[in-house]
Amino acid sequence: MRKLLWPLSWVYGVAVYLRNMGFGLGLLKQVDFPVPVVVIGNLSAGGTGKSPLVQLLARTLSKEFKVAILSRGYGRSTKGFRMVSKKDAARQSGDEPLQYVHTLENVIVAVCEDRVEGIRRLLAEGSPPDVILLDDAFQHRYVKPGYAILLTEFSQPYYSDSLLPSGNLREPAAGAKRADAIVVTKCPPQVNVEERQKIREELKPLQHQQIYFSYIHYRDPLQRTDGTHLPLEILKKSKVMLLCGIANPQGLMDFVSSKAIAVETCVFPDHHPYSVGDIIKLKNRFISFASSHTGPSFLLTTRKDYMRLLNPELQHLLKELPLLILDIEPAFIPSDQTSLQDTVRNYIMGFRKNH
Protein backbone atom coordinates (compact mmCIF):
# COMPACT_ATOMS: atom_id res chain seq x y z
CA MET A 1 0.00 0.00 0.00
CA ARG A 2 2.80 2.43 0.90
CA LYS A 3 4.46 1.87 -2.49
CA LEU A 4 1.21 2.77 -4.23
CA LEU A 5 1.22 6.09 -2.39
CA TRP A 6 4.82 7.00 -3.25
CA PRO A 7 3.82 9.06 -6.34
CA LEU A 8 1.56 11.18 -4.15
CA SER A 9 4.35 11.55 -1.58
CA TRP A 10 6.65 12.71 -4.38
CA VAL A 11 4.17 15.37 -5.49
CA TYR A 12 3.65 16.46 -1.89
CA GLY A 13 7.43 16.57 -1.36
CA VAL A 14 7.95 18.82 -4.39
CA ALA A 15 5.32 21.24 -3.06
CA VAL A 16 6.97 21.34 0.38
CA TYR A 17 10.43 21.75 -1.19
CA LEU A 18 9.27 24.72 -3.27
CA ARG A 19 7.64 26.31 -0.22
CA ASN A 20 10.79 25.93 1.87
CA MET A 21 12.87 27.26 -1.02
CA GLY A 22 10.60 30.29 -1.13
CA PHE A 23 11.43 31.05 2.50
CA GLY A 24 15.11 30.29 1.95
CA LEU A 25 15.33 32.75 -0.96
CA GLY A 26 13.28 35.39 0.82
CA LEU A 27 10.41 35.18 -1.66
CA LEU A 28 8.14 34.26 1.25
CA LYS A 29 8.69 36.64 4.13
CA GLN A 30 9.32 35.68 7.74
CA VAL A 31 8.29 38.10 10.47
CA ASP A 32 10.78 38.84 13.23
CA PHE A 33 9.31 39.94 16.57
CA PRO A 34 10.83 41.99 19.43
CA VAL A 35 10.22 39.15 21.88
CA PRO A 36 11.90 35.74 22.38
CA VAL A 37 9.97 33.15 20.35
CA VAL A 38 10.57 29.45 21.08
CA VAL A 39 9.09 26.99 18.59
CA ILE A 40 8.30 23.42 19.65
CA GLY A 41 7.33 21.10 16.82
CA ASN A 42 8.12 18.05 14.75
CA LEU A 43 8.47 16.80 11.20
CA SER A 44 5.82 14.12 11.62
CA ALA A 45 2.05 14.45 11.82
CA GLY A 46 1.66 14.35 15.59
CA GLY A 47 2.27 11.93 18.40
CA THR A 48 5.80 12.90 19.41
CA GLY A 49 4.91 14.40 22.79
CA LYS A 50 4.92 18.14 22.06
CA SER A 51 2.26 19.12 24.61
CA PRO A 52 4.02 17.62 27.65
CA LEU A 53 7.26 19.37 26.67
CA VAL A 54 5.46 22.67 26.14
CA GLN A 55 3.96 22.30 29.62
CA LEU A 56 7.31 21.48 31.18
CA LEU A 57 9.05 24.48 29.60
CA ALA A 58 6.18 26.84 30.43
CA ARG A 59 6.08 25.68 34.05
CA THR A 60 9.84 26.16 34.46
CA LEU A 61 10.16 29.46 32.60
CA SER A 62 7.12 31.00 34.31
CA LYS A 63 9.07 31.05 37.57
CA GLU A 64 11.23 33.77 36.06
CA PHE A 65 9.40 35.19 33.02
CA LYS A 66 5.91 36.09 31.91
CA VAL A 67 5.19 33.21 29.53
CA ALA A 68 2.58 32.92 26.79
CA ILE A 69 1.73 29.76 24.85
CA LEU A 70 0.31 30.28 21.38
CA SER A 71 -1.31 27.30 19.69
CA ARG A 72 -3.41 26.76 16.59
CA GLY A 73 -6.07 25.12 18.75
CA TYR A 74 -6.53 21.96 16.74
CA GLY A 75 -10.12 20.67 16.65
CA ARG A 76 -11.79 23.89 17.81
CA SER A 77 -14.91 25.23 16.12
CA THR A 78 -13.95 28.89 16.63
CA LYS A 79 -11.77 30.94 14.28
CA GLY A 80 -9.18 33.65 14.70
CA PHE A 81 -7.47 34.86 17.87
CA ARG A 82 -8.84 33.75 21.22
CA MET A 83 -7.52 33.98 24.77
CA VAL A 84 -8.14 30.63 26.41
CA SER A 85 -9.97 30.46 29.74
CA LYS A 86 -10.81 27.67 32.17
CA LYS A 87 -14.44 28.42 31.34
CA ASP A 88 -13.86 27.37 27.73
CA ALA A 89 -14.95 24.06 26.31
CA ALA A 90 -12.51 22.04 24.21
CA ARG A 91 -14.58 22.78 21.11
CA GLN A 92 -13.93 26.51 21.66
CA SER A 93 -10.18 26.44 22.20
CA GLY A 94 -8.91 22.93 21.49
CA ASP A 95 -8.12 20.24 24.06
CA GLU A 96 -4.39 20.93 24.42
CA PRO A 97 -4.66 24.72 25.01
CA LEU A 98 -7.43 24.03 27.52
CA GLN A 99 -5.16 21.54 29.25
CA TYR A 100 -2.45 24.19 29.53
CA VAL A 101 -4.88 26.59 31.22
CA HIS A 102 -6.01 23.95 33.71
CA THR A 103 -2.52 22.71 34.63
CA LEU A 104 -0.31 25.82 34.50
CA GLU A 105 -0.34 28.86 36.76
CA ASN A 106 0.59 32.39 35.68
CA VAL A 107 0.85 31.40 32.01
CA ILE A 108 -1.07 33.11 29.20
CA VAL A 109 -2.64 30.71 26.70
CA ALA A 110 -4.02 31.83 23.35
CA VAL A 111 -5.02 30.22 20.07
CA CYS A 112 -4.80 31.55 16.55
CA GLU A 113 -4.35 29.67 13.29
CA ASP A 114 -2.36 32.66 11.95
CA ARG A 115 0.63 32.69 14.30
CA VAL A 116 1.86 36.08 13.05
CA GLU A 117 -1.50 37.65 13.92
CA GLY A 118 -1.55 35.72 17.20
CA ILE A 119 1.81 37.10 18.30
CA ARG A 120 0.81 40.62 17.31
CA ARG A 121 -2.33 40.33 19.41
CA LEU A 122 -0.38 39.02 22.41
CA LEU A 123 2.12 41.86 22.18
CA ALA A 124 -0.73 44.37 21.99
CA GLU A 125 -2.04 43.23 25.39
CA GLY A 126 -1.73 45.65 28.28
CA SER A 127 0.93 43.46 29.88
CA PRO A 128 2.68 41.58 27.03
CA PRO A 129 4.62 38.35 27.63
CA ASP A 130 8.38 38.14 28.08
CA VAL A 131 8.58 34.98 25.97
CA ILE A 132 6.23 33.17 23.60
CA LEU A 133 6.16 29.40 23.17
CA LEU A 134 4.77 28.42 19.76
CA ASP A 135 3.12 25.03 20.10
CA ASP A 136 3.37 22.77 17.02
CA ALA A 137 4.69 25.48 14.71
CA PHE A 138 7.85 24.05 13.15
CA GLN A 139 6.22 24.27 9.69
CA HIS A 140 4.62 27.68 10.38
CA ARG A 141 7.54 29.51 8.82
CA TYR A 142 5.98 32.94 8.52
CA VAL A 143 7.19 33.49 12.09
CA LYS A 144 10.96 33.64 12.43
CA PRO A 145 11.81 31.62 15.55
CA GLY A 146 14.53 32.64 17.92
CA TYR A 147 15.01 29.08 19.15
CA ALA A 148 13.53 25.96 17.55
CA ILE A 149 13.09 22.62 19.32
CA LEU A 150 12.37 19.63 17.08
CA LEU A 151 10.88 16.44 18.54
CA THR A 152 11.20 12.97 17.05
CA GLU A 153 9.93 9.70 18.47
CA PHE A 154 12.37 6.97 19.52
CA SER A 155 10.37 4.18 17.85
CA GLN A 156 9.77 6.12 14.63
CA PRO A 157 12.50 8.72 14.09
CA TYR A 158 12.13 11.01 11.11
CA TYR A 159 15.21 9.58 9.41
CA SER A 160 13.45 6.23 8.97
CA ASP A 161 10.09 7.66 7.90
CA SER A 162 8.74 8.95 4.58
CA LEU A 163 6.53 11.79 3.45
CA LEU A 164 2.77 11.86 3.64
CA PRO A 165 0.70 10.02 2.54
CA SER A 166 2.98 6.96 2.25
CA GLY A 167 4.60 7.84 5.56
CA ASN A 168 3.99 10.24 8.43
CA LEU A 169 6.31 13.17 7.62
CA ARG A 170 4.97 16.66 6.99
CA GLU A 171 8.23 17.64 5.32
CA PRO A 172 11.51 15.93 4.33
CA ALA A 173 14.07 15.06 6.99
CA ALA A 174 16.27 17.89 5.70
CA GLY A 175 13.92 20.26 7.51
CA ALA A 176 15.64 19.19 10.74
CA LYS A 177 18.51 21.53 9.83
CA ARG A 178 16.36 24.45 10.99
CA ALA A 179 16.30 23.13 14.57
CA ASP A 180 18.52 24.40 17.36
CA ALA A 181 17.80 21.34 19.51
CA ILE A 182 16.46 17.87 18.75
CA VAL A 183 14.66 15.92 21.47
CA VAL A 184 14.27 12.17 21.00
CA THR A 185 11.03 11.40 22.85
CA LYS A 186 9.35 8.30 24.27
CA CYS A 187 12.65 6.49 24.78
CA PRO A 188 12.79 3.40 26.99
CA PRO A 189 13.52 4.72 30.50
CA GLN A 190 16.78 2.80 30.60
CA VAL A 191 18.03 3.69 27.11
CA ASN A 192 21.75 3.01 27.19
CA VAL A 193 24.74 4.97 25.94
CA GLU A 194 25.21 2.74 22.88
CA GLU A 195 21.61 3.21 21.74
CA ARG A 196 21.84 6.96 22.21
CA GLN A 197 25.07 7.13 20.27
CA LYS A 198 23.57 5.13 17.39
CA ILE A 199 20.66 7.55 17.19
CA ARG A 200 23.01 10.54 17.28
CA GLU A 201 24.89 9.11 14.32
CA GLU A 202 21.65 8.60 12.39
CA LEU A 203 20.43 12.12 13.19
CA LYS A 204 23.68 13.62 11.86
CA PRO A 205 23.30 16.84 13.86
CA LEU A 206 24.89 20.06 12.68
CA GLN A 207 27.65 21.48 14.83
CA HIS A 208 25.34 23.86 16.71
CA GLN A 209 22.53 21.36 17.29
CA GLN A 210 22.12 19.74 20.67
CA ILE A 211 20.53 16.30 21.11
CA TYR A 212 18.44 15.34 24.15
CA PHE A 213 16.73 12.10 25.13
CA SER A 214 13.47 11.90 27.06
CA TYR A 215 10.99 9.26 28.17
CA ILE A 216 7.39 9.35 29.38
CA HIS A 217 6.77 9.74 33.09
CA TYR A 218 3.30 8.90 34.40
CA ARG A 219 2.65 11.14 37.35
CA ASP A 220 1.71 9.87 40.77
CA PRO A 221 -0.90 10.39 42.19
CA LEU A 222 -3.97 9.98 40.00
CA GLN A 223 -6.64 12.65 40.28
CA ARG A 224 -10.35 12.16 40.85
CA THR A 225 -12.80 14.53 39.15
CA ASP A 226 -13.52 16.18 42.52
CA GLY A 227 -9.86 17.19 42.83
CA THR A 228 -8.88 14.55 45.39
CA HIS A 229 -6.16 12.02 44.65
CA LEU A 230 -5.38 8.32 44.75
CA PRO A 231 -1.90 6.79 44.57
CA LEU A 232 -0.87 5.23 41.28
CA GLU A 233 -0.23 2.07 43.27
CA ILE A 234 -3.98 1.51 43.52
CA LEU A 235 -4.03 0.27 39.93
CA LYS A 236 -2.19 -2.89 41.04
CA LYS A 237 -5.28 -3.94 42.98
CA SER A 238 -7.81 -2.82 40.40
CA LYS A 239 -9.44 -3.47 37.07
CA VAL A 240 -9.10 -0.58 34.67
CA MET A 241 -11.01 0.52 31.61
CA LEU A 242 -8.77 2.92 29.69
CA LEU A 243 -10.42 5.68 27.68
CA CYS A 244 -8.10 7.55 25.34
CA GLY A 245 -8.16 9.54 22.14
CA ILE A 246 -4.50 10.45 21.69
CA ALA A 247 -1.93 9.88 18.97
CA ASN A 248 0.14 6.68 19.26
CA PRO A 249 -1.53 5.33 22.43
CA GLN A 250 0.37 2.03 22.51
CA GLY A 251 2.85 3.18 25.15
CA LEU A 252 0.01 4.27 27.44
CA MET A 253 -1.83 1.01 26.88
CA ASP A 254 1.31 -0.98 27.70
CA PHE A 255 1.87 1.04 30.88
CA VAL A 256 -1.67 0.54 32.16
CA SER A 257 -1.58 -3.17 31.26
CA SER A 258 1.60 -3.55 33.31
CA LYS A 259 -0.07 -2.03 36.37
CA ALA A 260 -3.66 -3.26 36.57
CA ILE A 261 -5.13 -6.71 37.27
CA ALA A 262 -7.34 -6.53 34.17
CA VAL A 263 -7.52 -3.91 31.43
CA GLU A 264 -10.04 -3.10 28.75
CA THR A 265 -9.36 -0.28 26.28
CA CYS A 266 -11.66 2.20 24.55
CA VAL A 267 -9.45 3.87 21.95
CA PHE A 268 -10.58 6.78 19.77
CA PRO A 269 -8.71 8.89 17.20
CA ASP A 270 -6.52 11.75 18.40
CA HIS A 271 -8.54 14.83 19.47
CA HIS A 272 -11.80 12.86 19.11
CA PRO A 273 -14.76 15.06 20.22
CA TYR A 274 -16.60 12.78 22.63
CA SER A 275 -20.36 12.73 22.11
CA VAL A 276 -23.27 11.82 24.37
CA GLY A 277 -23.62 8.60 22.38
CA ASP A 278 -19.96 7.74 22.99
CA ILE A 279 -20.34 8.17 26.73
CA ILE A 280 -23.61 6.23 26.95
CA LYS A 281 -21.90 3.29 25.21
CA LEU A 282 -18.85 3.71 27.42
CA LYS A 283 -20.95 3.76 30.59
CA ASN A 284 -22.79 0.56 29.63
CA ARG A 285 -19.54 -1.09 28.66
CA PHE A 286 -17.90 -0.10 31.95
CA ILE A 287 -20.81 -1.46 34.02
CA SER A 288 -20.51 -4.79 32.21
CA PHE A 289 -16.72 -4.80 32.60
CA ALA A 290 -16.84 -4.00 36.33
CA SER A 291 -19.52 -6.61 37.06
CA SER A 292 -17.51 -9.36 35.38
CA HIS A 293 -14.65 -9.06 37.89
CA THR A 294 -14.40 -8.85 41.65
CA GLY A 295 -12.60 -6.00 43.38
CA PRO A 296 -12.42 -2.28 42.60
CA SER A 297 -12.82 -0.98 39.05
CA PHE A 298 -11.86 2.39 37.61
CA LEU A 299 -12.31 4.30 34.39
CA LEU A 300 -8.92 5.86 33.57
CA THR A 301 -8.24 8.64 31.07
CA THR A 302 -5.56 11.19 30.26
CA ARG A 303 -5.66 14.87 31.16
CA LYS A 304 -5.93 15.75 27.48
CA ASP A 305 -8.93 13.44 27.06
CA TYR A 306 -10.54 14.82 30.19
CA MET A 307 -10.56 18.29 28.66
CA ARG A 308 -12.94 16.91 26.01
CA LEU A 309 -15.14 15.37 28.71
CA LEU A 310 -15.83 18.65 30.52
CA ASN A 311 -18.99 19.26 28.51
CA PRO A 312 -21.84 19.45 31.10
CA GLU A 313 -23.91 16.94 29.12
CA LEU A 314 -21.06 14.44 29.33
CA GLN A 315 -20.25 15.23 32.95
CA HIS A 316 -23.83 14.37 33.89
CA LEU A 317 -23.37 10.90 32.39
CA LEU A 318 -19.91 10.40 33.88
CA LYS A 319 -20.63 11.55 37.44
CA GLU A 320 -21.58 8.07 38.63
CA LEU A 321 -18.43 6.45 37.20
CA PRO A 322 -15.17 6.15 39.19
CA LEU A 323 -13.15 8.27 36.77
CA LEU A 324 -9.43 8.84 37.36
CA ILE A 325 -7.17 11.24 35.46
CA LEU A 326 -3.59 10.28 34.59
CA ASP A 327 -1.10 13.09 33.92
CA ILE A 328 1.79 12.53 31.52
CA GLU A 329 5.04 14.50 31.46
CA PRO A 330 8.46 14.07 29.87
CA ALA A 331 11.44 12.99 31.92
CA PHE A 332 14.97 13.30 30.64
CA ILE A 333 18.02 11.16 31.08
CA PRO A 334 20.26 12.66 33.80
CA SER A 335 21.45 16.20 32.96
CA ASP A 336 19.47 16.55 29.73
CA GLN A 337 16.45 18.28 31.26
CA THR A 338 18.53 20.84 33.13
CA SER A 339 20.66 21.38 30.05
CA LEU A 340 17.69 21.98 27.73
CA GLN A 341 15.94 24.32 30.14
CA ASP A 342 19.16 26.22 30.83
CA THR A 343 19.82 26.56 27.10
CA VAL A 344 16.34 27.98 26.47
CA ARG A 345 16.71 30.30 29.45
CA ASN A 346 20.10 31.51 28.20
CA TYR A 347 18.58 32.24 24.79
CA ILE A 348 15.85 34.32 26.44
CA MET A 349 18.31 36.20 28.64
CA GLY A 350 20.61 36.86 25.68
CA PHE A 351 17.70 38.12 23.59
CA ARG A 352 16.55 40.49 26.33
CA LYS A 353 20.10 41.81 26.81
CA ASN A 354 20.52 42.51 23.10
CA HIS A 355 17.13 44.15 22.73
Side-chain angles (χ1 to χ4, degrees):
M1 182 62 180
R2 293 187 65 174
K3 288 185 177 181
L4 295 176
L5 294 173
W6 281 351
L8 294 177
S9 292
W10 185 85
V11 172
Y12 174 78
V14 170
V16 173
Y17 173 80
L18 292 175
R19 180 178 184 269
N20 282 335
M21 179 183 289
F23 282 107
L25 296 175
L27 301 175
L28 297 174
K29 301 297 183 182
Q30 288 188 302
V31 181
D32 203 354
F33 287 96
V35 64
V37 175
V38 179
V39 166
I40 300 96
N42 52 23
L43 298 184
S44 62
T48 56
K50 294 182 301 297
S51 298
L53 183 60
V54 170
Q55 280 189 206
L56 177 66
L57 287 175
R59 184 177 292 113
T60 302
L61 295 174
S62 64
K63 298 175 183 176
E64 191 171 357
F65 308 104
K66 186 173 184 179
V67 177
I69 300 172
L70 179 62
S71 173
R72 176 179 56 165
Y74 185 87
R76 67 186 175 118
S77 60
T78 56
K79 299 292 183 183
F81 181 83
R82 181 184 182 88
M83 297 293 285
V84 183
S85 159
K86 287 183 179 180
K87 296 180 181 179
D88 283 358
R91 64 178 178 272
Q92 295 173 305
S93 58
D95 52 6
E96 290 166 347
L98 192 59
Q99 179 179 335
Y100 299 148
V101 166
H102 278 266
T103 57
L104 296 170
E105 296 181 1
N106 303 317
V107 173
I108 301 165
V109 182
V111 292
C112 191
E113 57 272 26
D114 182 341
R115 308 301 172 87
V116 172
E117 174 64 15
I119 294 176
R120 286 174 176 160
R121 293 286 295 271
L122 284 170
L123 295 182
E125 292 289 315
S127 180
D130 298 323
V131 56
I132 297 174
L133 304 182
L134 284 190
D135 180 16
D136 194 14
F138 197 77
Q139 283 76 38
H140 198 97
R141 299 197 59 193
Y142 290 100
V143 174
K144 186 176 182 180
Y147 193 85
I149 303 173
L150 177 66
L151 278 60
T152 188
E153 193 174 348
F154 177 87
S155 63
Q156 192 176 16
Y158 59 75
Y159 55 75
S160 63
D161 204 350
S162 58
L163 286 171
L164 293 165
S166 64
N168 201 42
L169 294 184
R170 296 170 173 172
E171 65 172 306
K177 294 178 181 179
R178 302 197 306 272
D180 296 289
I182 300 173
V183 181
V184 183
T185 63
K186 301 183 181 181
C187 297
Q190 305 302 325
V191 59
N192 60 44
V193 175
E194 291 77 15
E195 289 176 300
R196 299 201 301 269
Q197 183 57 34
K198 182 179 178 180
I199 291 174
R200 287 178 189 273
E201 292 170 0
E202 293 284 359
L203 289 173
K204 299 180 176 64
L206 301 177
Q207 187 172 2
H208 74 281
Q209 290 179 320
Q210 297 171 300
I211 310 296
Y212 303 97
F213 294 86
S214 71
Y215 57 93
I216 293 175
H217 173 65
Y218 298 97
R219 292 185 66 179
D220 188 3
L222 303 164
Q223 183 180 313
R224 290 190 178 107
T225 55
D226 64 1
T228 59
H229 296 86
L230 288 174
L232 188 62
E233 190 76 10
I234 198 168
L235 297 184
K236 292 185 177 181
K237 305 174 183 178
S238 309
K239 307 172 298 296
V240 173
M241 177 171 283
L242 175 64
L243 170 64
C244 66
I246 61 174
N248 303 338
Q250 190 59 54
L252 173 63
M253 292 162 60
D254 292 342
F255 172 77
V256 176
S257 295
S258 72
K259 295 294 183 182
I261 296 173
V263 177
E264 186 165 332
T265 57
C266 298
V267 179
F268 291 85
D270 193 19
H271 301 287
H272 176 74
Y274 295 116
S275 67
V276 170
D278 291 333
I279 304 306
I280 289 174
K281 291 178 182 178
L282 174 73
K283 186 175 181 179
N284 293 333
R285 188 173 167 184
F286 179 82
I287 292 171
S288 176
F289 169 72
S291 64
S292 64
H293 300 79
T294 58
S297 299
F298 293 101
L299 177 63
L300 181 68
T301 195
T302 68
R303 178 72 60 179
K304 176 178 167 179
D305 283 290
Y306 185 62
M307 295 299 103
R308 283 174 272 133
L309 296 172
L310 287 175
N311 183 321
E313 293 180 341
L314 305 185
Q315 289 287 299
H316 175 73
L317 294 169
L318 288 167
K319 65 180 181 180
E320 296 176 2
L321 296 179
L323 180 62
L324 297 177
I325 303 163
L326 174 64
D327 283 296
I328 299 170
E329 62 185 6
F332 289 76
I333 64 169
S335 80
D336 272 14
Q337 177 173 329
T338 303
S339 179
L340 175 61
Q341 293 174 171
D342 284 349
T343 301
V344 174
R345 179 186 179 277
N346 290 340
Y347 152 67
I348 296 168
M349 295 298 291
F351 186 100
R352 288 162 63 88
K353 181 179 180 181
N354 294 329
H355 290 73

